[in-house]
Amino acid sequence: MAKTQNKAQKCGKKILFATSEAMPFIRTGGLGDVAGALPKSLNGLGYDCRVIMPLYGGISGEFRQTMEFIGSTYVRLAWRNQYCGVFRSSYNGVTYYFIDNEYYFKRGGLYGHFDDGERFAFFSKAVLESAQITGFYPDVIHSNDWQTALIPVFLDVFYRGMDGYRDSRTVLTIHNIEFQGQYDPFVIGDILGIPSDWNPIMMWGEAANYLKGGIERANVVTTVSETYAEELGNPFYSYGLGEIISQRRYKVKGVVNGIDTELYNPETDENLKTRYNVKTVAGKEENKKELCELLDLPYAENRAMIGIVSRLTEQKGLDLIAPVLDEMLAADIQLVVLGTGDWKYETLLRNAENNYHNKVRAIINFNSGLAQKIYGGADLFLMPSKYEPCGLGQMIAMRYGTVPIVRETGGLKDTVEPFNPQTGKGTGFTFKTYHPYDMLDAVWRALGIYFDKGLYKKVQSNCMKSDFSWTASAKKYADIYNSL
Ligand code: ADP
C-alpha cells in the first residue's frame, strides 16, 4: 500500500478513461475488456486513472448497489439542456464514474438506437461537464472509439478556457475503425452545437464524422496493435479514413492489448475438468475427451481438434473457410465452432455439422463456459481474420496451450510468431494472403507439426510461456501519457 502511494506521489498524473463500456459492469466486445483491465494496471504504475461511462439500464442491480450519487448538472447540446447525474463506485481499487440520464441510457442494449449520435454526443460532453461535480480535472483524457471521440473536439471548442482544463491533453484509441459515428452534417450545429467554422474538422466527405473529428483534435491517436496502426493507412483496412490517418501518421501509435491472465488461467479455470500448466499440459487431453463427450463426438487419441470461438462475421475470415471446408474435413480432424453472427455463416457451419456428424460441431450460441472448455480442450485454434485490430481469442488460446493458426493481420501478426521447426522458436502457424488456399496451407503445416509430438510440444510450451499480461502494454500507455 505504502509502495503504491509512493509511486502515485512520484507520478501524480490524473487520467480520465472515457468509455462506452467497461468490464465488469457491462460489455459487448474488446473495448469493455480493455476498460476493465488497463486502468487497474495504470494505477499499479502509480497513476490516478479513473473510468467514466454511461449508466445503462442494463447494468445489474448488484453493481448499482455499490454506486453512490454524488451530484447532478445540466448538459447543453445546441438548443437542448439535458439532465446529467453522476454516480461513483469503486472496483478493484479503480474509481468509476457513471453518467446518469434515463432518457438516453435506460434502454435495451448499448448501441444501435436511432439517436446514438445524440446519445454519445451527450455522454462526451457530460464527461467534460462532470468534473465540476467530481472535482477530478484530468491531466489526460483517454477517449475510446467513435462514442467518445468528440471529447477532444468539445474540449477545444467549449472548455479550453476553464482553469481545470487549460493544460489537459487527449489520447484517442481506435479499437475498430469500421465504426465511425457518421451522420448528416446538420448534427454539427443542431446536436453538437459547434460553430460552422469547425466544419473542416468534423466533416469527412459529405458526412459529419465523430471519429475523424477526434483524430484531428486528439494529441495522440492509438490503435490496439502496431500492425493495425500501419494497416490503417491502407484502403483495405481503413473504411475510408486512410487518408486522414496517413496525414496524421506523426501522432498515430500502436499499443497491443493484453489479456486478464488471472481470469484466463488454465491452472485455475473452473470450467476445465483437468487444470494444467506448462509442465502438466499433458492433462489437456482429458479436457479434449470431456469436450467430445459433452458434444457427443467420437474421441480418438491422435486426432487433432481444431477450435473456433468467434463472432461469425466477414471480419473473422469465414469467407476463407467456406470454399475449402470439404477439403479440410477430408483429413482426420475434428472441428468445433462456437459462435453467433451472420445467418449465412451459421448455416454453413450447421450444414457442415449435418454432413460430417463425427467430425464437426457447430454450437451457434454465446457461452463463456463452453468457450473456455474449447480453449482448454482443442489442439489448434483457427482465427483467419480479414482484419483484426488486436484480437483476444488467439492470446487466450495460446495461454491454454492451444496453438493458433492465424492470418498475418493486425494484432494477430503482433502476437503470434510463426513457428520455425528448425529453431524451435515461434508460437503458431500463419499465412499472409487473404486466400482460402493460403489458409488451408497453414492448416496443413499445423497438422504436420501436430503429428510430430516433439515439435508440437515445443510450440505448445512456447505459447504457454508467452507473456500476454497487461503490464507491458500499460507501460507503453504510460510512456505516451508522459510524452504529452
Ligand atoms: P471481437 O472483440 O472482435 O469479437 P476478440 O477476439 O477480440 O474478437 O474477442 C472475442 C472474445 O469473445 C474472446 O474472449 C472470445 O472467447 C469471446 N467469444 C466470442 N464468441 C463467443 C461465443 N459465442 N461464446 C463465448 N465467448 C465468445
Side-chain angles (χ1 to χ4, degrees), residues 264-415:
Y264 298 119
N265 183 354
E267 244 183 320
T268 53
D269 191 332
E270 293 190 349
N271 296 295
L272 304 186
K273 183 180 175 197
T274 307
R275 290 174 208 135
Y276 56 93
N277 58 30
V278 67
K279 288 198 188 117
T280 57
V281 65
K284 190 169 156 62
E285 195 66 21
E286 289 303 310
N287 294 325
K288 180 156 89 177
K289 219 180 273 177
E290 196 216 6
L291 188 60
C292 283
E293 266 166 39
L294 185 75
L295 301 175
D296 192 24
L297 271 174
Y299 167 80
E301 202 171 328
N302 280 320
R303 183 183 289 143
M305 180 189 278
I306 300 180
I308 296 179
V309 180
S310 175
R311 288 185 290 116
L312 302 177
T313 61
E314 190 190 336
Q315 182 203 329
K316 298 295 174 180
L318 286 135
D319 289 326
L320 296 187
I321 297 177
V324 293
L325 192 54
D326 286 311
E327 259 176 87
M328 204 162 112
L329 292 171
D332 186 21
I333 58 164
Q334 288 176 324
L335 180 67
V336 173
V337 185
L338 170 65
T340 56
D342 295 354
W343 179 84
K344 68 172 175 175
Y345 302 125
E346 293 184 352
T347 307
L348 168 87
L349 294 164
R350 280 198 175 108
N351 287 345
E353 175 172 325
N354 280 334
N355 295 341
Y356 298 91
H357 199 69
N358 287 335
K359 293 188 157 195
V360 179
R361 283 296 175 274
I363 305 102
I364 307 301
N365 202 345
F366 193 96
N367 182 335
S368 302
L370 182 57
Q372 295 317 110
K373 285 185 194 296
I374 295 174
Y375 291 118
D379 303 297
L380 298 162
F381 188 79
L382 182 58
M383 198 163 167
S385 304
K386 187 174 186 187
Y387 73 92
E388 195 61 71
C390 178
L392 295 178
Q394 82 283 11
M395 288 193 268
I396 303 171
M398 285 187 273
R399 178 121 171 96
Y400 283 69
T402 308
V403 182
I405 304 168
V406 302
R407 190 168 99 78
E408 289 175 21
T409 180
L412 297 177
K413 186 172 176 198
D414 294 352
T415 55

Side-chain angles (χ1 to χ4, degrees), residues 156-198:
D156 284 348
V157 179
F158 299 113
Y159 295 89
R160 250 324 154 198
M162 289 173 59
D163 274 349
Y165 285 123
R166 221 175 292 272
D167 297 320
S168 295
R169 295 286 178 264
T170 50
V171 174
L172 167 64
T173 295
I174 302 173
H175 298 258
N176 189 337
I177 206 163
E178 186 175 347
F179 309 103
Q180 301 174 5
Q182 284 167 280
Y183 300 100
D184 189 285
F186 94 93
V187 304
I188 299 173
D190 191 69
I191 292 179
L192 311 185
I194 291 178
S196 59
D197 49 344
W198 281 76

Side-chain angles (χ1 to χ4, degrees), residues 10 52 61 102 133 136 147 152 154 183 208 260 313 342 344 369 410 414-415 421-422 438 457 464 472:
K10 235 194 293 175
I52 187 160
E102 294 198 346
I133 294 166
F136 190 72
Q147 291 92 341
F154 283 146
Y183 300 100
D260 186 333
T313 61
D342 295 354
K344 68 172 175 175
D414 294 352
T415 55
Q422 260 77 48
D438 276 36
K457 241 184 141 187
M464 294 185 77

Side-chain angles (χ1 to χ4, degrees), residues 67-93:
M67 295 176 194
E68 164 200 11
F69 175 76
I70 55 172
S72 68
T73 181
Y74 282 82
V75 171
R76 294 195 62 173
L77 284 179
W79 47 269
R80 300 163 192 78
N81 204 24
Q82 302 289 38
Y83 170 82
C84 165
V86 183
F87 285 77
R88 179 174 55 204
S89 181
S90 143
Y91 186 84
N92 267 342

